[in-house]
Each structure stands twice: as C-alpha cells, then as structure tokens.
Amino acid sequence: MVKERENVAEQNKAQEQDLGQLLKVRREKLFGMQEEGKDPFLITKYDVTHHSEEVRGAFDELEGKEVSIAGRMMSKRVMGKASFCHVQDLQGSIQSYVARDSIGEEPYKAFKKYDIGDLVGIRGTVFRTKTGEVSIHAEEITLLSKSLQILPEKFHGLTNTDLRYRQRYVDLIMNPEVKDTFIKRSRIISTIRRFLDAQGFMEVETPMLVSNAGGAAARPFETHFNALDEDLKLRISLELYLKRLIVGGLERVYEIGRVFRNEGLDTRHNPEFTLMELYQAYTDYHGMMDLTENMYRYVAKEVLGTTTIVYNGIEMDLGKPFERITMVEAVKKYSGVDFNEIHTLEEARAVAKEHHVEFEARHKKGDILSLFFEEFVEEHLIQPTFVMDHPIEISPLTKKKPDNPEYVERFEFFMNGWEMANAYSELNDPIDQRERFAAQEEQFAQGDEEANHTDEDFLNALEIGMPPTGGIGYGIDRMCMLFTDSAAIRDVLLFPTMKSLPNEKG
C-alpha cells in the first residue's frame, strides 16, 4: 500500500513537471512572436462575417464564397504541406483546411506552432470535403490571442464538478451542453420580458441596499455604509418597493433581479439568486394564477417548442389546465388529516404529535398546518399545481379571505415537488398590516430570525392608499433548472457561490 502511494506521488510529480514544461514552451512561443513584432495581444479587432452553424445552414448559398470566422482552436492535424483544424465559436465547431500553398510558406510555418486553445481568425472559401464535412479552405489565418494555459484532456473534458463551477469559463469551452444551458437561460428571461411587456407591464429597478430587508421570511446579509455611518442589508425580496410603485400609480410593474438570503447551499438554494416579482393593480390572486399559467405555457412554447417538459425522465404537461387545490384539501388528500375539523391549537399539537410532525412552542395552528403540508404534500406535486389559501400565521403581507379570516388569499405554484412561485391578493389595509408587522416582531423576539420587521415608510405608503392588487414572486433559477433539465441550481448559475480557496482569500 505504501509502495502504491509512493508510485502515485511520483507519477503526480512527473505530470506536474511535464505540465510546467508545456506551459513554459507556450510562453516561449509568445515571447518569440513578440520579439518578431507579431504580438497577438496587440490585435484590437477582427471582422467576423459568419459563425459555424450559419455556414453549415446556408451552405448552398455560401459554397465557393469567402467568409471570415473566429474562435478557439480545439484540434489540429498537421500533415506536411496541408493541415486540418477545428475552430469552436459561439454556435459550435467548424473544420478548416489549411494548406501551405494557399496561405503562404511563412504563415503556414507559424500556424504549425499554434497550440490547442489559441484564438484564431480564419478567412477562406466554403467547401465540402470528400467525406461530406462542410469546411473552410483557409486563405488567411490570424492569431488573435495566445492561450498560455492547457485545456483539459480532450476526450474526458472538464468533469470535476467543483472545478467546473469555479472555472466556468473552461466549463463553457469544454462542455457544449453547458453553453446551451446558459443560452437557453438567456432566452427564457428575454421571453418572459416579451410576454410581460405585451401584457402592459413596466420593468423597473428597486434598491438592493436597504435599511429594512422585508417581504420574505429569510435572514439577510448585513453590511455597513461608511459614508453615512449606517448599517444596511442586502434585499431578500423585491416586494415592498414594488408595492410603493403601485401606490404611486404604476399599475403593472415587474422586476427581475438578484436577491440575497443568508442561508445554506443545496441543489435548489444559492445565497444570491434571481427573483422576479410583479404586481398588478385591480386584480387578485386568481388573476395571478391565470397570468402564471399563460406565461409558463408561452415560455415553454417559445424556448422549447413544446408545452411538455421532461425533467430527470419525468414529463410535466404545461398544456393542460393547472390543478388548483387549497392547502387544507391537499393536506387532507395526502395525510388524511382534515384541518377544517381542528379548531384549537391544542388539537393541532395533538395531531402533529400523532403524525410525528415536529413543531416549536411558538408555532400556532396555521404554522402546524404548514408543517403538515411540507411533510406530506410537497413531494407529490409533480404536475403544475396551484396550492391556495394559506393560514394567516405564515402570510404577513396577504389579504384575509372575507369568508374565513383564519386563511388568506395566497397560492404557491408547484412543479416537480418544488415551489416555483408565491402569490397573494396583496394586503392593502394599513391598520391590518401594522398588526401583522407587530405579530412578526413578536415572532422575532421569540427567536425567529427570519421574521419581518415593521417598515414605517411602507405603512405610510399604504396609508396614502394602495388599490386592490395581485402580486407574485417567481424563482427564475428553478424555472431554468426545469426547462434545461439541470440537476442543481449551480448548473444554471454562471458563477455560483463557492467557498474561497486559500489562495483566493484577501
């Protein structure tokens, strides 16, 4: 065993020495070019006329015509007076035939010294090889940037997950499906914007640094603003400022932006993530259900070309009407407990103990209903489902149901067992809102670090008068996960939060 470890150590040392020598050679090549007055880093632009897929897609029109492409050289085969290389650009990869007689003896000699990973520009004519591959017959090659590092081994790619997230720039080069995911993410967000803009919504921006981080149950990040000698927080939600705009008369507003929650990391949580919230005057949570159903269906058709999503082998159908069920009905369906028959806190605690649902002393009947929902229901909500009418205890910013004030006009949208959105008929009664804030302050005093705090300016806005309003918040990252069949939230965040390495710390 000791001998094996020694052998592995020796192999690693030899590989490091080999790698160091290869890196040294690359730098020497660069220094040589610079001494000859051919420094690639002095080039400021290159005129690109086409990308790889554009050339392939329009081959009949482009055959025999001149094009210019640019990208990273991912392979090279030198065969005497002629060579082949593959260049990877935004759209994919395309082959180029490089012949000495076409580009000249000196440029060909220089080309043979280029390394995998170098960025090149190629001008030439479009043709098809004897094997049928659409290619470019190079007439001129320009080295646009010298790669001084070595890309991961060609056939195994970049597979170390931690390294992929830390060096996303390499991940994008080596794993085409990763690039496809982020292109699709961009399309999802732009399609959402088109949908909402067509519905008369106005996109706005609200502060990220706030004195009172409200609008959600979460612990904020805290910082200090030196110029004002004041402690501030990073926002955990977009809600309270967007509602101020509804008060101001902007009847339909939305924002897509980063929010920050000082919580743990897992496959569905990152401390900074993309949230979209929208608010529409003169509608309620039923209006938000209709908007959500239409928006998800529209985005799926535009981005995926279908209303059927397949995630981890499971099909979810956005083409059918989404199920609508109350939280009480859902808990009864999956746990057998009917909270309509539970009238006191003591009864709620007793049934929780009977079903092994853990609760805290501060929890009220509505909190225990919510715990039942988390324990017995969420995992079953695979197909698109609106879960409506939450208990008032867990909904401090929501209108009460007029016929049953223990519950509020709120829904959560679920797919794949995940909460995808959260919506209310917004509370616009400033007196009721002040009482809800007071209850939240009491919860905070009892140890709930995620409770909301009283926001006097927001209460003042409500006293000015806010119309009946429907509002909703969407987890954009989770939506992107479902639409791209990505296993973890880090797979749809270009630069997810990572623990700093020792050499990265200041």
Side-chain angles (χ1 to χ4, degrees), residues 161-423:
T161 303
D162 187 76
L163 192 60
R164 283 181 51 220
Y165 297 146
R166 291 184 187 279
Q167 297 185 11
R168 182 69 83 186
Y169 43 92
V170 181
D171 191 23
L172 290 165
I173 294 168
M174 300 307 301
N175 297 313
E177 70 279 3
V178 172
K179 185 186 291 184
D180 292 343
T181 291
F182 288 105
I183 291 172
K184 195 170 289 182
R185 177 189 171 108
S186 178
R187 289 190 61 207
I188 288 167
I189 293 173
S190 63
T191 303
I192 289 171
R193 284 191 165 103
R194 285 200 307 275
F195 175 83
L196 292 177
D197 293 346
Q199 301 292 317
F201 281 85
M202 172 182 174
E203 185 173 8
V204 298
E205 295 174 307
T206 61
M208 289 189 182
L209 283 172
V210 295
S211 57
N212 187 347
R219 184 189 302 176
F221 288 93
E222 299 181 359
T223 187
H224 186 78
F225 184 20
N226 292 332
L228 296 180
D229 191 23
E230 183 177 355
D231 290 333
L232 294 174
K233 300 175 179 66
L234 289 171
R235 67 185 181 186
I236 60 174
S237 170
L238 313 174
E239 180 166 350
L240 299 186
Y241 280 97
L242 291 177
K243 285 182 179 178
R244 287 169 166 90
L245 299 180
I246 295 292
V247 170
L250 303 181
E251 294 182 1
R252 299 186 181 201
V253 295
Y254 76 95
E255 181 174 5
I256 301 174
R258 284 294 177 102
V259 296
F260 309 87
R261 298 183 182 179
N262 201 345
E263 57 189 19
L265 295 160
D266 62 31
T267 56
R268 282 183 282 157
H269 293 89
N270 194 73
E272 60 172 310
F273 61 97
T274 302
L275 181 66
M276 180 178 79
E277 292 195 30
L278 63 86
Y279 294 84
Q280 178 180 341
Y282 311 114
T283 190
D284 62 4
Y285 72 143
H286 291 290
M288 293 296 99
M289 287 185 223
D290 294 340
L291 183 147
T292 299
E293 191 165 339
N294 292 334
M295 185 184 78
Y296 259 75
R297 199 169 287 141
Y298 176 80
V299 174
K301 285 180 180 177
E302 290 292 308
V303 177
L304 305 178
T306 176
T307 56
T308 300
I309 293 175
V310 180
Y311 183 84
N312 196 26
I314 299 171
E315 285 193 3
M316 286 162 272
D317 190 354
L318 295 167
K320 297 178 181 177
F322 296 2
E323 182 181 0
R324 303 187 182 194
I325 187 171
T326 69
M327 183 176 282
V328 170
E329 291 168 345
V331 168
K332 181 180 179 181
K333 178 178 179 179
Y334 292 105
S335 76
V337 177
D338 186 355
F339 270 76
N340 282 330
E341 302 299 322
I342 296 173
H343 305 290
T344 66
L345 176 57
E346 289 70 24
E347 290 173 350
R349 287 174 172 171
V351 76
K353 290 176 181 176
E354 182 183 336
H355 287 77
H356 308 291
V357 174
E358 295 183 4
F359 59 90
E360 299 177 25
R362 62 183 174 83
H363 284 149
K364 297 181 171 60
K365 175 189 165 187
D367 297 300
I368 293 174
L369 169 60
S370 179
L371 293 172
F372 263 81
F373 176 78
E374 292 173 6
E375 181 71 25
F376 294 103
V377 181
E378 286 189 3
E379 63 180 323
H380 298 288
L381 304 179
I382 305 301
Q383 297 303 316
T385 304
F386 295 120
V387 177
M388 308 178 296
D389 302 349
H390 292 50
I392 193 170
E393 291 90 342
I394 62 169
S395 310
L397 299 165
T398 316
K399 271 194 173 184
K400 297 173 184 175
K401 290 182 67 64
D403 58 344
N404 191 353
E406 288 187 6
Y407 295 89
V408 297
E409 293 192 347
R410 172 185 175 186
F411 74 80
E412 290 174 296
F413 173 47
F414 281 84
M415 286 181 66
N416 194 48
W418 303 348
E419 179 198 338
M420 304 298 295
N422 185 24

Side-chain angles (χ1 to χ4, degrees), residues 475-502:
I476 296 298
D477 305 310
R478 291 186 186 178
M479 184 180 189
C480 292
M481 286 174 67
L482 282 186
F483 279 43
T484 61
D485 197 10
S486 297
I489 192 171
R490 291 181 175 189
D491 295 326
V492 297
L493 297 175
L494 279 167
F495 300 102
T497 302
M498 307 284 289
K499 184 175 177 62
S500 298
L501 297 173

Side-chain angles (χ1 to χ4, degrees), residues 418-437:
W418 303 348
E419 179 198 338
M420 304 298 295
N422 185 24
Y424 312 150
S425 295
E426 301 296 336
L427 179 59
N428 62 342
D429 178 346
I431 297 172
D432 189 357
Q433 182 64 80
R434 183 173 291 279
E435 292 172 355
R436 306 275 192 97
F437 275 142

